[in-house]
């Protein structure tokens, strides 16, 4: 006597499973060229992103270079390195500096890039647009060492052009690079200058995808240039702005290690010392790899949380990554 499937179960016939597998194999073979082109990218992420994640266990161990990851003893208690960072007298200062510098760079990095993209998009002299684009892109390809040298040439209190001009005019010199009140401004200003043109590329690409008939209709209705920008251009790139904001929120605890490590000095530690520079000094220079890994895991957890929350909010505005 044949038995019926138990209630709540859905048996998939063997023939149907086989036909699904064959259809999948045919689709895979028909698009083999595309999948082959994907392989290098997949291999990169697997080799350099996912496999090294095994090293996260260092955060819960007292890592010893000679013993290796597997044979190093476990920390007692397991959260000891996280606790050490949390109880550090610099914890609040480091978090504050990291968040403030990141937020300043995020805010002042987005608005000027959008403004530059709009100016280039609205420009009617093509050769001038190309010159402006080229000049604004060039700083992106300079290293922070070169930009620091340029900053010294302009902002040094003893030999900088600005302070030499002030001294010759009978005014007091300004310690741009050693003042706790001005150093963050220098950091944010040089970062904006470096990435201004590069950031505008994405917005220009988004603007090129806006339907030109919308501008024509608005022009016929008597809308001026500012009205067209406000009601057509900005809404047209809204999703791109939200997308880039979500991506930048994920790295809000990465305030720019290379820039700050090259440009800061002991006089501005109270306003410029961030998590990464502290970990480099305390964790890596003293070979405390467990502490460095624990702080890195802490940063990743916060970044993941911020990306998830910002994406949830963005979905309510019609955007989002997923």
């Amino acid at each position: 006597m044949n038995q019926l499937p138990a209630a709540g179960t859905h048996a998939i016939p063997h023939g149907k499973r086989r036909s699904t597998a064959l259809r999948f194999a045919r689709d895979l073979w028909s698009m083999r060229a595309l999948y082959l082109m994907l392989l290098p990218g997949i291999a990169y992420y697997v080799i350099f992103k996912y496999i090294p994640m095994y090293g996260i266990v260092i955060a819960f161990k007292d890592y010893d270079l000679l013993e290796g990851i597997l044979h190093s003893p476990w920390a007692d208690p397991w959260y000891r390195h996280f606790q050490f960072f949390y109880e550090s007298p610099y914890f609040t200062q480091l978090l504050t500096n990291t968040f403030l510098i990141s937020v300043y760079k995020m805010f002042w990095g987005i608005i000027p890039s959008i403004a530059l993209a709009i100016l280039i998009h609205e420009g009617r002299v093509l050769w001038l647009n190309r010159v402006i684009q080229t000049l604004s892109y060039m700083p992106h390809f300079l290293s922070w060492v070169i930009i620091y040298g340029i900053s010294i040439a302009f902002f040094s209190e003893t030999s900088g052009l600005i302070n030499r001009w002030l001294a010759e005019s009978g005014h007091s010199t300004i310690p741009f690079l050693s003042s706790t009140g001005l150093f963050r401004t220098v950091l944010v200003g040089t970062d904006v200058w470096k990435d201004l043109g590069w950031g505008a590329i994405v917005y220009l690409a988004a603007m090129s995808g806006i339907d030109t008939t919308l501008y024509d209709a608005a022009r016929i209705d008597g809308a001026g240039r500012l009205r067209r920008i406000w009601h057509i251009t900005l809404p047209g790139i809204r999703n791109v702005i939200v997308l880039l904001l979500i991506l930048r929120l994920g790295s809000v605890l990465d305030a720019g290690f290379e820039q700050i490590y090259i440009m800061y000095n002991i006089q501005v530690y109270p306003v410029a010392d961030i998590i990464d520079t502290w970990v480099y000094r305390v964790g890596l220079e003293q070979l405390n790899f467990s502490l460095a890994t624990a702080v890195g895991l802490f940063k990743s957890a916060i970044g993941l949380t911020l990306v998830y929350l910002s994406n949830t909010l963005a979905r309510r505005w019609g955007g989002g990554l997923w």
Side-chain angles (χ1 to χ4, degrees):
M1 185 175 180
N2 295 331
Q3 293 183 349
L4 296 175
T9 63
H10 301 278
I12 301 176
H14 178 71
K16 187 175 182 180
R17 287 199 303 267
R18 184 177 179 183
S19 63
T20 302
L22 289 174
R23 186 164 56 251
F24 174 76
R26 283 197 302 268
D27 293 341
L28 190 65
W29 180 252
S30 65
M31 294 184 289
R32 59 189 180 277
L34 297 178
Y35 286 114
L36 283 174
M37 287 189 289
L38 267 177
L39 280 180
I42 295 174
Y44 168 80
Y45 277 96
V46 170
I47 295 172
F48 296 104
K49 300 295 182 181
Y50 288 99
I51 293 179
M53 288 179 68
Y54 168 71
I56 289 175
V57 298
I58 296 175
F60 308 100
K61 289 191 169 189
D62 291 325
Y63 179 67
D64 189 326
L65 281 172
L66 299 178
E67 296 290 338
I69 297 178
L70 289 176
H71 301 290
S72 295
W74 292 96
D76 185 23
W78 62 269
Y79 54 84
R80 184 161 62 86
H81 301 295
F82 298 92
Q83 185 179 22
F84 177 83
F85 176 62
Y86 176 74
E87 294 179 351
S88 167
Y90 304 104
F91 177 77
T92 304
Q93 174 185 304
L94 293 171
L95 274 184
T96 302
N97 290 341
T98 304
F99 271 109
L100 285 179
I101 293 174
S102 292
V103 170
Y104 291 158
K105 286 183 177 181
M106 190 184 306
F107 178 79
W108 293 110
I110 290 177
I111 293 180
S113 295
I114 295 174
L116 177 62
I118 291 174
L119 290 174
I120 295 174
H121 183 258
E122 293 292 326
R124 294 295 177 262
V125 184
L126 295 181
W127 68 266
L128 183 58
N129 286 348
R130 296 192 186 100
V131 170
I132 294 173
Q133 282 183 287
T134 302
L135 293 177
S136 61
Y137 296 164
M138 286 176 62
H140 176 77
F141 300 99
L142 300 178
S143 70
W144 280 114
V145 176
I146 296 176
I147 292 178
Y148 178 63
I150 296 173
S151 302
I152 289 290
F154 278 94
F155 301 123
S156 172
E157 191 173 5
T158 57
S159 60
L161 293 176
I162 295 176
N163 278 314
R164 286 180 61 184
W165 177 79
L166 289 174
E168 291 174 0
S169 302
H171 298 87
S172 300
T173 58
I174 302 174
F176 293 103
L177 301 177
S178 58
S179 169
T180 55
L182 295 173
F183 188 74
R184 284 179 183 163
T185 303
V186 175
L187 284 178
V188 176
T190 52
D191 183 79
V192 171
W193 174 72
K194 186 177 187 295
D195 290 328
L196 175 62
W198 191 257
I201 293 177
V202 179
Y203 301 113
L204 277 172
M207 291 174 190
S208 65
I210 299 175
D211 189 356
T212 56
T213 58
L214 296 175
Y215 292 103
D216 296 333
R219 194 177 292 110
I220 294 173
D221 290 339
R225 179 166 293 183
L226 292 179
R227 287 283 186 179
R228 295 197 298 271
I229 292 172
W230 183 258
H231 293 286
I232 299 175
T233 304
L234 291 178
I237 63 173
R238 182 186 61 183
N239 289 341
V240 175
I241 296 173
V242 172
L243 176 63
L244 294 179
L245 182 62
I246 293 173
L247 294 176
R248 296 195 68 168
L249 280 175
S251 58
V252 73
L253 291 184
D254 293 324
F257 167 77
E258 183 181 0
Q259 178 198 16
I260 295 174
Y261 188 75
I262 290 172
M263 298 184 68
Y264 80 157
N265 53 75
I266 195 170
Q267 293 174 295
V268 293
Y269 274 5
V271 296
D273 200 18
I274 59 173
I275 293 174
D276 288 337
T277 54
W278 182 84
V279 168
Y280 185 83
R281 292 199 317 273
V282 177
L284 299 182
E285 288 183 353
Q286 300 176 11
L287 300 182
N288 193 341
F289 296 106
S290 294
L291 174 63
T293 307
V295 177
L297 185 58
F298 166 76
K299 287 175 51 183
S300 299
I302 292 183
L304 177 63
T305 303
L306 289 175
V307 167
Y308 179 79
L309 292 177
S310 58
N311 184 75
T312 302
L313 293 176
R315 289 176 62 184
R316 298 182 181 179
W317 301 336
L321 286 174
W322 67 87

